[in-house]
Amino acid sequence: VMRVYCEDQLMDDLVCRGLNSFVTYVPSTLQDANKCREDLENKKTVPSDHRAQSFRALINFLVDGLTEDNYEIQGPVLKPLQSLFNKMFIRRGQTSISVIGDMTRATLLVKNEEDLREVVKKIETLFPKIHGEQFQGPNKIGVGKFLEDVAEMDKVPGTEIILYRFKPNSSQKERMSTGDPPLYFNLNFFDGIPEYHRVGSTEMFVAFELQIGLEAEVS
């Protein structure tokens, strides 16, 4: 668990040290344990600068055409270490390769419904394959097919962000059951090549989540 968390936190040291320059990350139990202890003591919630920039790039793409008065951004924040541990080892007894879809999460709150519809329409129009279809993870179709499918997905223009799932938030079930359109959505993405981690016998890919909703609905 600490290794997954710490590799995400060390992204600033792994990339952006020059054009096409990457630094190899060598897992270190002592380094990871010390890093996690410090972050827990300091109640750290902020992701790496690299990750925060990716969220900003995605949000800027989605709100293009809106003024800053039309929306508000919350986060991004890290998935709590305790929650990550629960996801990997306790919840549903994880034994197969899965995707942690919200390693880091942010929320885009749109002030009025018309602007929200424009944001949703942009996603549905430019990325039609990720909306309305059930995402097939590696635990269902195998790692090879999963990576092949991800490689064929479209990226957000000007970024390495790969959107792979867009669906109404689970809180919208009641609205949708009465025929009302959803006002709160989850948008999941990979930040470049899907990050693979193995901790003991648990294997997973790490992804990220932007929640998008009408401010009055979410609040």
Side-chain angles (χ1 to χ4, degrees):
V1 178
M2 292 186 296
R3 190 164 299 159
V4 178
Y5 178 87
C6 287
E7 182 164 349
D8 187 77
Q9 284 299 284
L10 293 170
M11 284 301 296
D12 291 339
D13 294 328
L14 299 177
V15 298
C16 302
R17 285 192 173 184
L19 186 61
N20 297 324
S21 176
F22 293 86
V23 179
T24 301
Y25 171 71
V26 179
S28 166
T29 302
L30 292 177
Q31 174 180 294
D32 290 349
N34 185 61
K35 173 67 175 171
C36 285
R37 179 181 60 80
E38 290 178 353
D39 287 350
L40 285 171
E41 290 176 349
N42 296 329
K43 295 181 171 57
K44 181 177 174 63
T45 61
V46 180
S48 63
D49 288 342
H50 170 82
R51 199 71 70 202
Q53 289 170 6
S54 295
F55 271 91
R56 284 196 293 269
L58 174 57
I59 292 172
N60 289 341
F61 168 75
L62 294 175
V63 301
D64 185 36
L66 304 182
T67 65
E68 292 187 3
D69 293 336
N70 298 138
Y71 62 89
E72 178 184 339
I73 302 169
Q74 296 180 347
V77 295
L78 291 166
K79 190 179 187 70
L81 191 58
Q82 299 92 327
S83 178
L84 181 61
F85 184 90
N86 177 60
K87 168 71 175 178
M88 292 169 62
F89 293 112
I90 300 175
R91 192 193 314 172
R92 295 189 299 276
Q94 297 286 351
T95 57
S96 59
I97 302 176
S98 62
V99 175
I100 296 179
D102 59 350
M103 183 67 192
T104 304
R105 173 185 290 170
T107 303
L108 172 61
L109 300 175
V110 184
K111 303 291 186 178
N112 66 74
E113 191 169 339
E114 182 179 351
D115 288 338
L116 175 63
R117 296 294 170 213
E118 287 300 314
V119 172
V120 171
K121 181 180 178 181
K122 176 180 288 188
I123 297 171
E124 294 177 342
T125 301
L126 297 179
F127 304 92
K129 294 182 179 179
I130 70 170
H131 180 63
E133 296 184 12
Q134 185 174 358
F135 173 68
Q136 297 292 308
N139 58 323
K140 295 182 179 180
I141 60 177
V143 174
K145 183 64 167 61
F146 165 74
L147 291 175
E148 289 176 2
D149 289 350
V150 171
E152 294 177 356
M153 293 179 177
D154 294 328
K155 295 180 180 179
V156 173
T159 76
E160 294 298 311
I161 295 172
I162 302 172
L163 306 182
Y164 73 86
R165 181 172 59 194
F166 181 60
K167 64 176 184 178
N169 186 275
S170 59
S171 65
Q172 300 299 290
K173 289 181 178 179
E174 185 174 348
R175 279 186 57 86
M176 296 169 66
S177 68
T178 60
D180 293 323
L183 299 174
Y184 192 18
F185 301 84
N186 295 346
L187 178 62
N188 298 94
F189 64 93
F190 296 109
D191 192 3
I193 299 173
E195 298 174 22
Y196 169 82
H197 299 272
R198 179 186 178 98
V199 181
S201 60
T202 301
E203 299 173 283
M204 73 223 61
F205 288 93
V206 172
F208 310 92
E209 182 174 85
L210 176 65
Q211 296 185 326
I212 304 169
L214 184 67
E215 183 178 46
E217 176 71 14
V218 178
S219 302

